[in-house]
Amino acid sequence: MEKQVKLLQGNEACVEGAVMAGVRFFGGYPITPSTEIAEGMARRLPLLGGRFMQMEDEIASMASIIGASCAGAKSMTATSGPGFSLMQENLGYAYITETPCVIVNVQRGGPSTGLPTKVSQADTMQAGFGTHGDYRAIALAPSGVEEILYQTIEAVNLSEMYRTPVVLLLDEVTAHMREKVMIPSPEDVDVKQRRKPTVPPDWYKHFEISPTGVSPMAAFGDGYRFNITGLTHDQVGFPTAVSSEIVAMLDKLRDKIVKNAEDICDYELTEMDDDPKVAIVSYGIVARAAKQAVMMARDQRLKVGAVRPKTIWPLAVNRLRKLLKPVRKLIVAELNQGQLINMIKHHVDRRHTEIIPLQRYDGELITPAQILNKIKEVKHHGTQV
Amino acid sequence: MELKSDVIHQYLRPKKKFPHVWCSGCGLGVILGSMIRSIHSLDIPKDDVVVCSGIGCSSRLPVYVDFNTLHTTHGRAIAFATGVKVAKPRLKVIVVTGDGDCLAIGGNHFIHACRRNIDITVILANNWIYGMTGGQFSPTTPTEKFGSTAPYGNIEQPFNPCDLAISAGASYVARSTVYHVDQLDKMITGALNKRGFSVVEVLSNCHTYFGRLNKEGDPVTMLNYFKKHALPVQAWDKVPEEKRAGKFVTGLLHDVEKDEYCDNYEKLVERLQAKMESK
Ligand SMILES: Cc1ncc(C[n+]2csc(CCOP(=O)(O)OP(=O)(O)O)c2C)c(N)n1
Ligand code: SF4
């Protein structure tokens, strides 16, 4: 089949990606600005023999997709701020039970009901640390409609490969804007499946500590008859209070993400080849403005670059440090009061690199002109950079 | 004749570290036995049974039995079970839950599952109290009874779980107690056999908290209470209102045929696929 070109809204691209990645169960509850994803799944899934369920709330939505995944289905939900908050307890259950599933959070202004129809990136931290306890999250952050399609596929793939929930962090603008999308033909899409056990049922351990750090996963009805619990458990899946087993379980949740961070996380670089001393870090919709600002700055012979993490949890820290080594002044632009900036501060050598915030949280976008102004302001201060 | 306990042993987890977490004399063990006998009597393969639960003493039950078991978060078992069932409708999905788990924190999921009439069996262990957290009053604690958070007596009105299930749309609703074991086996077997949402409310003794806080004593005293105050539905329907006072009705209270959720979804898919083929 040939590649198809379509004009799609971000939320529609997410539906296309989900279907291509093999999602066949969706449980959700309507909320602006994510509703088009539920509507799209309600249309598409029954045609493919899949199942769409409108649940009674987001708590149930999250529960249903975990249940479906335990039964072997690739599953997904989509929501926004208030719904994402309601999902947190069961999201934690997905982390501790290592159950693959995808949660799309189309960010809007908060806290609480906040700004339902306005753009925001104020759930950046929540996407990584929203539920209680120790765990490591994966959260992807596309910045355009076509990328939403590909990152939805990637989110499903990562959830299957690492047996973990994956958050796809969109925002009101990317979710609702329309762009040209090249829809790949199915044979060009790399679709991953969770590893199934090969051992006989008697030997099966649902949470086995394996060399890859990820346990094979049987589904209910496959003949394995195992226990899944949200209590801290041993490798077989029974509740435990033994120190060594507690630590082993928590280390496993951490290590499978941390040790693979450099594989999971990817960056898009703009004009970073000539070692600019001023750069912008931003993600999602803001990174588009940053890219534009860099182009405008270069036209004015200002040496500036931009780094965009495509995955904000986890960051590939080693690569980030290397990338930012020549940078003396780093602008961190985001649609909140400063969340990404704290992660960046944590990883960058601040004796060497000054970190400068550019924040907007009035429900409007940061414009390229705003970023360009910041670049000029930064350039005029202090040393020749 | 096979001993009741022999059957049970065939279904307990060989690898599970016993002893269990329950107080000795707790009614929950009787419910575990009854559930196993009912599954056994229907010859349902272990591999096809999924037992889900929330959090509570009652919700610990799945961990001990040799099926596919999903011990979830407090109140949410029915929502998890819904995902399991819809993703793999051939599985026999059972939810074991408590009065707090099912009717307080999980009340919304319960009524919506009734409304959908999805083919899941709920075994609701009603001990009128929050056992696991130490005896706080629950949505079924009778007015004036004591709980650790109702030290002067409960001023709230309790739910009647069976009435709630019937009015919310469940297709099979029954009540029994841990004293009336033969009836309980029958009710659970009937529920498992029903295509649709089925609820069996089982009155169960939590002597450790409800019994102690209300001076209603040890397991035997509490079982005697169930024995004396249960009125089978056949008798209940005949006696005048005054004779029902202080008693509760047991047996099969509601059994109707209606469309089941997974069947309806399957029909929808078939209809859409036929339409696509004819295009
Ligand atoms: C979200 C959440 N809130 C509160 C609790 C604490 N909690 C655990 S069990 C329980 C009550 C259980 O009562 P019930 O469902 O009646 O079961 P029983 O222990 O009586 O069998 C509560 C409140 C919890 N685990 N999770
Ligand atoms: S606290 Fe009550 S419900 Fe819990 S095990 Fe003990 S007797 Fe049973």
Side-chain angles (χ1 to χ4, degrees), chain A residues 191-239:
Chain A
V191 173
K192 304 271 200 258
Q193 315 288 352
R194 63 193 73 168
R195 203 149 55 88
K196 290 271 184 179
T198 49
V199 297
D202 274 355
W203 297 2
Y204 179 64
K205 294 180 184 160
H206 194 62
F207 300 99
E208 178 157 38
I209 294 183
S210 72
T212 62
V214 184
S215 326
M217 180 173 170
F220 287 160
D222 281 356
Y224 284 84
R225 297 205 306 271
F226 46 94
N227 183 54
I228 302 179
T229 177
L231 287 164
T232 302
H233 44 257
D234 60 19
Q235 293 186 54
V236 180
F238 293 134

Side-chain angles (χ1 to χ4, degrees), chain A residues 67-82:
Chain A
S69 184
C70 292
K74 288 185 179 176
S75 64
M76 182 171 121
T77 188
T79 188
S80 183

Side-chain angles (χ1 to χ4, degrees), chain A residues 52 56 90 220 227-229, chain B residues 47 69 71 73 88 116 265:
Chain A
F52 164 87
E56 50 274 19
N90 285 338
F220 287 160
N227 183 54
I228 302 179
T229 177
Chain B
D47 286 339
T69 54
H71 178 231
T73 49
K88 223 178 229 178
R116 286 187 193 106
Y265 213 118

